[in-house]
Amino acid sequence: MEELPCIASALGSADVAVGEARAGNRSVACEPLAGVTGTLFRQLNNSEQLTELREALAGMASAGTEAEAIDRIRGLESLKATCAALQAREAVALDGLRRTRESAEGVPADQQGRGVGGEVALARRDPAQRGGRHIGLARALCHEMPNTLRALTDGEISEEHATAMARETAWLPVEHRRTVDALMSCRLGPIGVKKLAAEARAHSQRLDQESAVAQLERCRIERRVSVRPATGGMAYLTALLPMPQAVAVYANLHRDASTAVGVGDAEGRTREQIMADLLVERATGQSSAPESGQLVAMDSRARVFPPLLRRMLVLRDDVCRTPWCEAPIRHADHVKPHSEGGLTSYNNGSGLCARCNHTKENAGWRHEATPDGLDVITPTGHRYENRTSPLLGRMYRSRHERPMHSSVPEARAAAVMSGWNTARTLARLSMAAALAGPDHRLELRGIGSDPTGHDFSGRRLRFLPTVEL
């Protein structure tokens, strides 16, 4: 396409336009880019041309001045917003085409369009649970919020702004949602996400007070506690609570931690650290009891995966096997369904989250897997691959494997990273040895004793007991 290089020249000329406009105190940094890209997007009609557009942008030289760099960043941010709007339109188009085809094939109305969210998530390289959110946002923008969609298409707001607008009006009837969209049209762009959400929420509650009260009750029902991993062996423990209860919990922890600091009982801890310690002390106690035993057989005739075989799948896959989905494993799934003769075996098993397992059961979806990886084939014929990481490749290196010539900072960094996740490591060692066969010797060179006191230096290990995770 001959027009594609125009994007680069438009970005390059943006600072010239801005310089001319600064005398009049008006912001037109994105106008050259918006005009060119708007024309190009209207002319694009297939995915190959989108690839050419991306390659043209990727080949653009870096800015030569500071002002030009800022103008390009601003222009590219607007371009991102335009792409987000186009993604929403294409998601709605996919949903409509799928429902039309399935309706013609006689699929019941309540079963039409299942799995579309999963396809959108895979195409966007997102976890499966975000696919439904993408579809919901796309439908709201295209069918009920024309002003928000226009602002997103024009690059005046980001996808985060559009999501906030959709979230704060999701519980309204369609006519009231369109009213809020119209009332907020002049505020799309000049204000930040939090203020935009607050104003949209105020309009929504004013227009339909009865629905607002019902929404508050629904939110109370959704209270829950969740946990997700963080770096450095830490985790985030999150509680979604009604506002008065959340404030009361925090105030109680803050008061007692401040008292401990004031009377000298901090023991070298900060107020925040004491609050975290108090939360653990006052919550339900944690317990874990490692169990030793034999590794499970590789095959089973039962339909449900036995506990030890399921544990092997969890050790191997770590998180949901679907590409880009990092949700915890909830289901041990048969790659080839048990009803079609699929074995309850290590080779025919996959660790999946509940959403991905249910999505897999929709018409047109297919999984192909070996212990080395999983291929997901969607109803459109697209294939997405996820390779399984080596079992022993996930173990932390021992501190005795550090290069002796490391400088002090490097040695400190290596010391921080040299810890063993003992239970999981021992389980993976035993599993790797068993998978290699009864005559396999697992040799660990240069590894001394781990934090539990087990001495692995200079030994060849035939078998290690499986440890409860």
Side-chain angles (χ1 to χ4, degrees):
M1 293 179 61
E2 298 179 355
E3 298 90 344
L4 290 176
C6 294
I7 295 181
S9 61
L11 284 168
S13 62
D15 72 304
V16 176
V18 171
E20 296 174 353
R22 279 172 181 156
N25 282 331
R26 57 190 183 91
S27 176
V28 295
C30 304
E31 289 180 3
L33 177 65
V36 173
T37 54
T39 302
L40 288 177
F41 278 130
R42 284 192 293 271
Q43 295 174 354
L44 295 176
N45 53 26
N46 58 57
S47 58
E48 288 77 11
Q49 291 174 321
L50 287 175
T51 301
E52 294 177 12
L53 175 61
R54 178 181 56 79
E55 292 174 350
L57 285 171
M60 185 176 61
S62 299
T65 66
E66 296 178 19
E68 182 182 2
I70 289 295
D71 292 336
R72 290 189 181 192
I73 292 172
R74 174 73 178 276
L76 290 170
E77 187 64 27
S78 297
L79 186 58
K80 282 169 54 180
T82 301
C83 290
L86 296 178
Q87 280 185 321
R89 286 167 43 187
E90 295 301 329
V92 169
L94 171 64
D95 184 54
L97 292 169
R98 178 65 52 77
R99 291 175 182 274
T100 299
R101 176 175 63 79
E102 292 179 342
S103 176
E105 294 174 354
V107 177
D110 60 345
Q111 298 181 17
Q112 295 173 10
R114 290 186 176 181
V116 172
E119 290 184 74
V120 171
L122 285 170
R124 294 187 58 157
R125 299 187 178 95
D126 273 344
Q129 59 267 27
R130 294 187 185 178
R133 301 177 200 169
H134 293 319
I135 289 291
L137 175 62
R139 289 173 180 160
L141 292 176
C142 294
H143 298 322
E144 301 171 0
M145 308 182 75
N147 292 287
T148 304
L149 178 62
R150 176 200 56 76
L152 186 63
T153 304
D154 293 344
E156 297 175 3
I157 60 173
S158 67
E159 189 174 18
E160 187 178 4
H161 288 83
T163 301
M165 282 288 297
R167 182 179 63 248
E168 297 299 340
T169 59
W171 47 273
L172 286 174
V174 174
E175 62 274 12
H176 287 163
R177 192 175 206 180
R178 288 174 177 161
T179 300
V180 175
D181 179 65
L183 291 171
M184 294 295 297
S185 61
C186 61
R187 301 290 285 165
L188 296 171
I191 59 177
V193 176
K194 290 184 178 180
K195 184 174 287 188
L196 182 73
E199 293 187 12
R201 188 185 313 119
H203 282 305
S204 300
Q205 294 174 347
R206 177 179 56 81
L207 286 172
D208 196 335
Q209 297 180 11
E210 184 176 348
S211 296
V213 173
Q215 171 65 8
L216 291 176
E217 292 300 322
R218 284 192 295 269
C219 290
R220 289 178 60 89
I221 295 174
E222 294 175 357
R223 61 189 182 276
R224 61 186 179 273
V225 177
S226 60
V227 63
R228 59 188 176 91
T231 58
M234 305 292 283
Y236 294 102
L237 179 66
T238 305
L240 180 63
L241 301 170
M243 180 67 74
Q245 296 178 9
V247 171
V249 171
Y250 183 86
N252 185 278
L253 293 173
H254 188 276
R255 180 198 63 205
D256 292 351
S258 299
T259 300
V261 172
V263 300
D265 292 339
E267 300 178 351
R269 299 173 295 174
T270 65
R271 179 184 289 107
E272 289 72 21
Q273 291 171 336
I274 297 175
M275 290 175 66
D277 294 342
L278 288 173
L279 177 63
V280 174
E281 293 172 8
R282 295 173 182 180
T284 302
Q286 304 178 25
S287 62
S288 60
E291 296 178 0
S292 61
Q294 300 297 319
L295 279 171
V296 68
M298 295 296 292
D299 298 299
S300 172
R301 295 183 179 180
R303 186 190 185 284
V304 178
F305 283 82
L308 294 179
L309 181 54
R310 185 185 189 280
R311 187 189 307 166
M312 291 176 67
L313 298 179
V314 174
L315 286 170
R316 182 195 68 192
D317 298 335
D318 199 36
V319 294
C320 178
R321 261 188 134 184
T322 303
W324 303 294
C325 183
E326 298 177 343
I329 293 174
R330 301 300 184 195
H331 295 173
D333 176 63
H334 293 78
V335 178
K336 181 180 180 180
H338 187 270
S339 60
E340 299 177 8
L343 297 176
T344 304
S345 66
Y346 181 77
N347 290 348
N348 192 48
S350 279
L352 300 177
C353 68
R355 183 184 296 271
C356 288
N357 190 21
H358 294 153
T359 299
K360 168 182 174 285
E361 300 304 318
N362 292 318
W365 285 78
R366 191 170 79 258
H367 281 195
E368 296 177 358
T370 66
D372 298 325
L374 170 70
D375 290 1
V376 177
I377 299 91
T378 65
T380 59
H382 289 80
R383 180 183 290 266
Y384 302 91
E385 299 180 356
N386 185 21
R387 301 301 94 187
T388 303
S389 301
L391 283 168
L392 301 186
R394 303 174 206 161
M395 293 165 48
Y396 290 140
R397 290 177 53 180
S398 166
R399 60 183 179 276
H400 297 284
E401 294 181 288
R402 290 204 306 269
M404 297 303 295
H405 60 274
S406 296
S407 63
V408 173
E410 292 173 342
R412 289 177 179 172
V416 172
M417 297 300 296
S418 64
W420 282 57
N421 185 342
T422 309
R424 193 173 290 268
T425 297
L426 291 176
R428 283 180 175 144
L429 282 169
S430 63
M431 183 173 166
L435 291 177
D439 297 327
H440 176 69
R441 301 291 195 277
L442 181 62
E443 183 174 0
L444 302 177
R445 298 182 181 272
I447 299 181
S449 58
D450 77 322
T452 64
H454 295 84
D455 184 11
F456 296 136
S457 58
R459 294 187 181 181
R460 293 173 178 264
L461 303 178
R462 285 182 59 96
F463 177 77
L464 288 169
T466 301
V467 178
E468 179 71 41
L469 297 181

